Amino acid sequence: MRVLLLGGGGREHALAWKIAQSSKLEKLYIAPGNAGTAVLAENVSIAVTDFKAIADFIVEKEIQLLIVGPEDPLVEGIRDFLQADNRLSGLMIVGPGKDGAILEGSKDFAKQFMKRHGIPTAGYMTVTSHNIAEGQQFLATLNPPYVLKADGLAAGKGVLIIDDLKEAQKELKEMLGGKFGKASCRVVIEEFLHGIEISVFAITDGKDYRILGSAKDYKRIGEGDTGLNTGGMGAVSPVPFANSEFNRKVEELIVRPTVEGLQKDGIDYRGFIFFGLMNDGGNPAVIEYNVRMGDPETEVVIPRLKTDILELLVATATGRLAEAEFALDERYCTTVMLVAGGYPGCYEKGNIIIGLKDVEDSIVFHAGTKLEDGQVLTNGGRVMAVSSYGHTLEGALQQSYKNVEHIKFKSMNFRRDIGQDLLKWVR
Ligand code: AMP
Ligand code: GLY
């Protein structure tokens, strides 16, 4: 099978690593890819939102399966665009159309969807410039802290959590006034949910689903969850506090009603769903939906898939998920993200990375890297993720940290406490 994967981060390297193991693979292309994917596949320099160039490439290379990694092309309607191209009638696509991707593209849509289908989530009100006063009154009925969310995609920056009511009311006005551009011309005000965050990943063909596992990521730059938010500094799968009772609730109250809700709404959703959840004393509620895999969560979820990923993805794209073989590894998988000093603020690019050859019994997934004259250079804030298996959580973490010691680049930074907060659930 000839496959094109869109994206160029650690998520895509992890997907490519698994796809490359499939006996069904004939040729894998990745646009744009990175230095890690270049070893497994052919990198193609096309931007993920250049739909016209992607369509032409698919025709030229006779691609049979397209997998969309990041959310931007999905929310912008890549599936609809390609399906309208009569040269591409046989193309199989993993990733929802615009009608499904709006679950991530509009927080207001996602909240209405959850309300309509009885899926547990925080109470909310959606505000536009026409009902600011009502929005400010709604804020006054809530307990602090106050949660304000830009409705649209805002590069992960559109959520504000504010302790003071007056400040929240002022911020509401500023958001509606264009603080996050078009993304915040509507603002969702939410009740604050208490508990511990956990993510659950599933894949669906619109009728059936498979749960790929739970994961926890570490979003803050600093140890002990301090400092600025990042794209994610490490991850663990599965999450030890997600016991069978919790997992049963997630499936029955959230995953199944979501897939059934999509069906009831006439949305033919074929792709990944990322459920961002809060666990409040054993009861899950949805914080957000994403219509893609997480990064770095993919770097711990995909290594635990024991069966052929291409079989699973083809079954997803063609509506035959019920027939696909599916099994997960019992072991834990953990990952530690190595980042450039200064990230998530200003950081250098183009520094040489050494020591990759000395890594043993871990998988290094590249994120922001590029190949130049045979050398691997840093090319982003998040540079690479070191993933390891373990029969115990502690064992997996030790293995990742052991191999982190081998890798070096100028001003490398990483968190030393990934997974430490979870050890109390396994001891
Ligand atoms: P989101 O972009 O919706 O995932 O929000 C970003 C982060 O804000 C989440 O990962 C949570 O840590 C936090 N957050 C969002 N909504 C809520 C909520 N209703 N209650 C508590 N924390 C929230
Ligand atoms: N790690 C969080 C995300 O991918 O959105």
Side-chain angles (χ1 to χ4, degrees), residues 324-355:
E325 245 196 292
F326 178 75
L328 295 178
D329 199 314
E330 294 285 303
R331 289 175 295 175
Y332 283 98
C333 189
T334 61
T335 203
V336 176
M337 189 62 82
L338 307 182
V339 306
Y343 170 80
C346 296
Y347 55 85
E348 288 176 14
K349 287 186 187 178
N351 290 324
I352 296 172
I353 303 165
I354 59 165

Side-chain angles (χ1 to χ4, degrees), residues 107 111 121-123 145 147-149 156-161 190-195 197 217 219 229 274 276-278 286-290:
K107 305 257 186 208
K111 296 301 276 190
T121 188
V147 182
L148 300 178
K149 299 185 173 184
K157 296 188 169 56
V159 176
L160 299 179
I161 298 183
E190 276 187 24
E191 266 169 14
F192 184 82
L193 293 171
H194 294 271
E197 282 188 67
D217 85 341
K219 290 203 176 97
N229 260 323
F274 167 158
L277 306 177
M278 192 66 90
V286 177
I287 297 176
E288 63 164 352
Y289 288 112
N290 294 309

Side-chain angles (χ1 to χ4, degrees), residues 11-23:
R11 167 181 49 213
E12 287 75 24
H13 189 185
L15 289 167
W17 169 83
K18 188 67 187 168
I19 292 168
Q21 292 167 24
S22 172
S23 58

Side-chain angles (χ1 to χ4, degrees), residues 11 71 104 156 199 201 216-219 230-235 274 288 290 292-298 382:
R11 167 181 49 213
E71 64 276 20
E104 178 165 356
S199 300
F201 296 86
K216 187 153 200 348
D217 85 341
Y218 292 80
K219 290 203 176 97
T230 71
M233 296 293 289
F274 167 158
E288 63 164 352
N290 294 309
R292 52 169 174 89
M293 290 296 289
D295 194 349
E297 293 92 330
T298 310
R382 291 194 297 169

Side-chain angles (χ1 to χ4, degrees), residues 4-8 12 29-32 47-48 54 66-70 73 78:
L4 172 62
L5 170 62
L6 294 186
E12 287 75 24
Y29 297 93
I30 308 187
V48 296
I54 292 167
L66 172 74
I67 302 141
V68 185
I78 189 167

Side-chain angles (χ1 to χ4, degrees), residues 166-235:
K166 288 268 170 303
E167 203 194 320
Q169 290 173 325
K170 182 168 148 263
E171 200 57 64
L172 174 66
K173 247 181 150 163
E174 283 177 18
M175 286 176 81
L176 290 166
K179 177 164 185 163
F180 298 100
K182 244 177 45 199
S184 66
C185 66
R186 271 189 298 188
V187 173
V188 174
I189 303 173
E190 276 187 24
E191 266 169 14
F192 184 82
L193 293 171
H194 294 271
I196 315 179
E197 282 188 67
I198 170 172
S199 300
V200 168
F201 296 86
I203 192 162
T204 179
D205 64 356
K207 306 187 292 280
D208 294 290
Y209 60 84
R210 293 282 178 267
I211 296 177
L212 304 171
S214 60
K216 187 153 200 348
D217 85 341
Y218 292 80
K219 290 203 176 97
R220 303 294 196 91
I221 187 72
E223 280 152 25
D225 287 328
T226 52
L228 294 174
N229 260 323
T230 71
M233 296 293 289

